[in-house]
Amino acid sequence: MAQITAALVKGLRDKTGAGMMDAKKALVETEGDMEAAVDWLRAKGLSKAAKKSGRTAADGLVGAAISADGKTGAVVELNAETDFVARNETFQTAVRQITDLALTTDGTTEALAAAAAPDGDGNVDDMIKRLVATIGENMTLRRASQIKADSVSFYIHGAEAEGMGKIGVLVGLNGSGDLGDAGRKVAMHVAATA
C-alpha cells in the first residue's frame, strides 16, 4: 500500500476540487495513483449527482453576456437548490463560463448543454454534474437564449456579481446611431415589470 501524504491529498484536491476526506479516500482506494484517483472521484461525483437529481433546484443565477462586436447576446439561467450557492465563487465562475459559451452556440438550452465544457472535460452537462459533486447541491441548466441584432444590451437586476443576478433581460435593437443606451433602458423597464 502506497503512503498517502498530505501533499498528495492537496494535489488531488487542487486538481479536482474534491473535499479533503474524499480526496484521501480516493487515493487510499487507488493506492496513491493520482490519475486513477481522479477517475474514482469522477465516478463517485456522477453517483452523487444522480442521487441529488430528484431534488428541486429553484434558486441560482441568471448570467448575461454580449459579444465583442455588440451584435450577439446570450442569457443563461443556472439553478441550484438554495440561494446561498449564488454567492459561491465556484458557482459564479461556472455561470460566467457557461454564459460566455452560450454566445458560440445557437442559443438553445439543448445545444448549450451538449457544447464542449469550457474546462475541456466533456460537455456542459458533464461540467454541471461535476459542480453538483463539488458543491453538494442539485443544479440544472434551466434555460438559455441568444439574440442577434445591430445592437444588443442587457440589464441584470439584483446583481450578485458582474453580469449575473436574479433577473436578467436581453434586448436587441436594429437601426443606426447609439442604440446601446436605449437598449439598456428598455431592458431595465422590462426587468421592473418582472
Side-chain angles (χ1 to χ4, degrees), residues 47-62:
S47 171
K48 274 186 181 179
K51 287 178 187 173
K52 294 176 184 192
S53 67
R55 298 182 352 199
T56 302
D59 281 303
L61 288 175
V62 173

Side-chain angles (χ1 to χ4, degrees), residues 41-116:
L41 283 169
R42 183 173 293 127
K44 184 174 185 230
L46 292 176
S47 171
K48 274 186 181 179
K51 287 178 187 173
K52 294 176 184 192
S53 67
R55 298 182 352 199
T56 302
D59 281 303
L61 288 175
V62 173
I66 296 175
S67 63
D69 66 2
K71 295 181 183 283
T72 304
V75 65
V76 170
E77 182 178 359
L78 184 62
N79 284 350
E81 292 176 49
T82 64
D83 63 344
F84 297 110
V85 171
R87 295 183 203 107
N88 181 303
E89 190 175 320
T90 304
F91 185 79
Q92 290 178 357
T93 299
V95 171
R96 187 171 294 109
Q97 290 175 333
I98 293 169
T99 303
D100 289 343
L101 184 62
L103 289 169
T104 65
T105 68
D106 69 3
T108 64
T109 307
E110 296 77 21
L112 184 55

Side-chain angles (χ1 to χ4, degrees), residues 79-164:
N79 284 350
E81 292 176 49
T82 64
D83 63 344
F84 297 110
V85 171
R87 295 183 203 107
N88 181 303
E89 190 175 320
T90 304
F91 185 79
Q92 290 178 357
T93 299
V95 171
R96 187 171 294 109
Q97 290 175 333
I98 293 169
T99 303
D100 289 343
L101 184 62
L103 289 169
T104 65
T105 68
D106 69 3
T108 64
T109 307
E110 296 77 21
L112 184 55
D119 62 8
D121 190 7
N123 59 26
V124 170
D125 198 40
D126 296 333
M127 177 184 169
I128 293 170
K129 287 177 185 170
R130 288 191 300 277
L131 202 57
V132 169
T134 302
I135 293 178
E137 286 194 13
N138 186 31
M139 294 175 202
T140 57
L141 180 60
R142 182 160 181 232
R143 53 188 155 187
S145 187
Q146 181 193 89
I147 60 172
K148 294 179 187 274
D150 291 339
S151 177
V152 177
S153 302
F154 71 83
Y155 173 72
I156 298 291
H157 185 73
E160 291 285 338
E162 181 68 30
M164 63 186 79

